[in-house]
Amino acid sequence: MTVMGVSKFERFFRAAASLDVDRNDLKRYGDFVDAKLYDLLVVGQASAKANGRDTVEPWDLPITKGLQESIHRFRRLDEEVELKPILEQLAAHPPLDRTPTQEAEERYPEIIGGLSVALAETFKIMYPDLKNPQTSHWEGVTAVFDRLL
């Protein structure tokens, strides 16, 4: 990620949850985003297959009410931070049995943004006084997402 990208990443987490993240957190964040997007795509692929389609449509992705609300909060935050162009670079995914449609792929940056907002807010729910997440905090928060998504 470029220096400009790192700066926006840091600003985003400050705006979303008053967290101070740094370059060391980028790898953890990237791993989190990759894993959760992949998990959503696996479920979307199963939905497409169950409905007899060869492509994954946007409505196949399991976007819960909570994630949808986080996507809306991301849109408002992104007007200030302008992180969406960077998230487009993170929206790569491994090959699947069912190919996502272009419309589904176009939703990835906002889905990642929503996951990012939910991630930041979960840090604050689990660790209210946290300012700078450490490995143990990342492990706790990602364990919650692993159980739910």
Side-chain angles (χ1 to χ4, degrees):
M1 189 176 288
T2 65
V3 173
M4 179 66 96
V6 172
S7 172
K8 286 185 178 193
F9 170 74
E10 292 170 344
R11 274 191 15 225
F12 171 78
F13 275 87
R14 270 194 302 275
S18 299
L19 293 173
D20 292 324
V21 296
D22 55 33
R23 285 182 176 268
N24 296 330
D25 294 310
L26 281 176
K27 169 94 171 85
R28 293 181 190 114
Y29 172 74
D31 291 347
F32 169 81
V33 166
D34 287 345
K36 294 304 113 197
L37 181 60
Y38 182 74
D39 291 347
L40 292 172
L41 289 170
V42 166
V43 174
Q45 178 176 263
S47 176
K49 183 177 181 179
N51 287 296
R53 284 183 277 102
D54 291 332
T55 59
V56 177
E57 297 290 343
W59 54 84
D60 290 320
L61 301 173
I63 306 299
T64 63
K65 177 182 176 276
L67 181 52
Q68 187 62 50
E69 290 170 354
S70 292
I71 291 169
H72 291 304
R73 286 192 298 279
F74 167 73
R75 287 177 184 147
R76 287 191 299 272
L77 276 172
D78 194 46
E79 290 176 10
E80 173 187 337
V81 180
E82 297 177 352
L83 193 63
K84 190 174 177 181
I86 294 167
L87 296 182
E88 289 171 352
Q89 297 170 7
L90 297 175
H93 62 82
L96 303 167
D97 292 338
R98 303 283 190 273
T99 304
T101 63
Q102 182 176 346
E103 186 178 337
E105 288 181 339
E106 288 171 354
R107 294 207 53 211
Y108 294 175
E110 285 192 337
I111 292 170
I112 292 169
L115 287 167
S116 301
V117 168
L119 173 72
E121 291 173 347
T122 302
F123 275 114
K124 283 306 205 177
I125 291 168
M126 291 179 65
Y127 312 102
D129 297 326
L130 183 67
K131 290 294 179 202
N132 188 350
Q134 301 300 310
T135 301
S136 62
H137 302 119
W138 279 93
E139 289 170 350
V141 169
T142 56
V144 169
F145 278 85
D146 289 342
R147 301 304 178 280
L148 297 175
L149 290 180

